[in-house]
Amino acid sequence: MSPAARGARVRARVPARRITRARVCAAICLLVLGIALLGPLLAQASPTEQVGAPFEGPGATLPLGTDFLGRDLAARVLHGGRLVLGVAAGATVLATALGLVGGVLLGLMSERAAEPVMRAVDLLAVFPSLLLLLLFATGAPGSDLAVLLAVGLACAPFSIRVIRTVTRQTAAGGYVRTARARGDSAWALARYDIWPNIAGTVLADAGLRFVAAVHLAATAGFLGLGRGAPAAHWGRMIRENLPGAALNPLPVLLPAALLTAFAVAVNLLADHAAARRAGPAGPSGAPHA
């Protein structure tokens, strides 16, 4: 077989590998989502009732053993994901919405007009995320909404900066200058010339923000912020069960593995979706009707 033919076969196999990887990531996402969303309906025991000694190993009646208070670990895992992923999803929607609106508007503004606003955005970006979480949690103790708002605001500046950059690159195209010359409004520019051409970047950025939001939502639970005990929370489960990890590591390993696998899978899926939207040759660089 000639080198050219072998190269063609290698190039043909690359999309297949990408599709396989995307399917594996989608399966992982669906599995973790199923556990988080349907887990409370599937649990056979109460997540707050003591059913055995602390840190019992897996057995016939307790398939995953018990946690540090002797509660059914399987029930705790099945109940603990909805809160983490729900807060992370809400924070991602907030951050992406702020990033899309703010980034596009700042990208269409002149450098001089946008500079003061970008300095404020940079100030929020360097503000420690954990300190922001603590400030919101102190103002509204036990509130999941406070955690959601804190996580969303912590992620938003990065979305604004990324989307502003890609907006400025898109706005430098000849078709956008032509639209401005014929008097199109800022809304028309954003709706028909900017948003369709940056959708792939926005999607990929949302995946990154979701990964960060999952991390921060789990960290909030680890620190005891938001809804308190005895509510099950994957982040809080890691902290609570660390002292007995040598006796039964599953109460620590399971929530950590679920959070990690879901975050990585979502990130890879977002990259795959962005690449598919951009096409084999990258962004089109042409206006969308």
Side-chain angles (χ1 to χ4, degrees):
M1 181 181 296
S2 66
R6 282 197 299 269
R9 290 189 61 181
V10 170
R11 288 192 296 271
R13 287 198 298 268
V14 171
R17 287 199 296 268
R18 289 178 180 172
I19 291 173
T20 300
R21 184 177 64 182
R23 288 175 177 172
V24 171
C25 291
I28 293 173
C29 288
L30 289 175
L31 175 62
V32 179
L33 278 175
I35 293 174
L37 299 179
L38 302 179
L41 303 177
L42 301 175
Q44 299 297 315
S46 168
T48 59
E49 180 183 355
Q50 185 175 2
V51 295
F55 298 116
E56 282 189 18
T61 57
L62 298 169
L64 298 179
T66 60
D67 72 349
F68 76 112
L69 290 179
R71 297 171 294 194
D72 188 344
L73 178 58
R76 299 285 293 175
V77 171
L78 290 173
H79 280 81
R82 182 180 292 182
L83 188 56
V84 180
L85 299 187
V87 169
T92 302
V93 171
L94 174 61
T96 302
L98 292 175
L100 186 59
V101 174
V104 170
L105 288 178
L106 290 169
L108 292 176
M109 291 168 60
S110 67
E111 187 70 27
R112 178 177 296 181
E115 189 66 21
V117 182
M118 288 307 302
R119 296 290 73 80
V121 170
D122 291 339
L123 182 63
L124 184 57
V126 300
F127 195 82
S129 301
L130 292 182
L131 182 56
L132 190 63
L133 275 171
L134 291 171
L135 288 174
F136 272 72
T138 302
S143 171
D144 295 328
L145 180 59
V147 174
L148 187 154
L149 292 175
V151 174
L153 290 177
C155 295
F158 304 98
S159 286
I160 291 174
R161 179 162 285 282
V162 169
I163 295 173
R164 176 179 181 259
T165 299
V166 73
T167 297
R168 287 179 63 85
Q169 293 172 352
T170 304
Y175 61 91
V176 176
R177 291 198 296 267
T178 301
R180 279 177 161 168
R182 67 171 178 255
D184 286 3
S185 64
W187 166 253
L189 285 173
R191 172 67 180 84
Y192 297 107
D193 297 304
I194 302 297
W195 286 345
N197 286 284
I198 67 172
T201 301
V202 172
L203 184 60
D205 181 73
L208 293 174
R209 299 310 140 218
F210 184 71
V211 172
V214 169
H215 169 75
L216 288 174
T219 301
F222 188 90
L223 296 175
L225 306 178
R227 191 179 310 178
H233 188 291
W234 285 349
R236 189 165 54 245
M237 287 173 63
I238 298 173
R239 184 198 64 181
E240 291 173 341
N241 295 287
L242 274 175
L247 299 174
N248 183 8
L250 292 179
V252 174
L253 293 180
L254 278 178
L258 288 169
L259 288 168
T260 301
F262 187 70
V264 172
V266 167
N267 198 16
L268 291 176
L269 273 181
D271 288 343
H272 177 76
R276 281 178 59 88
R277 184 174 182 87
S284 64
H288 286 63

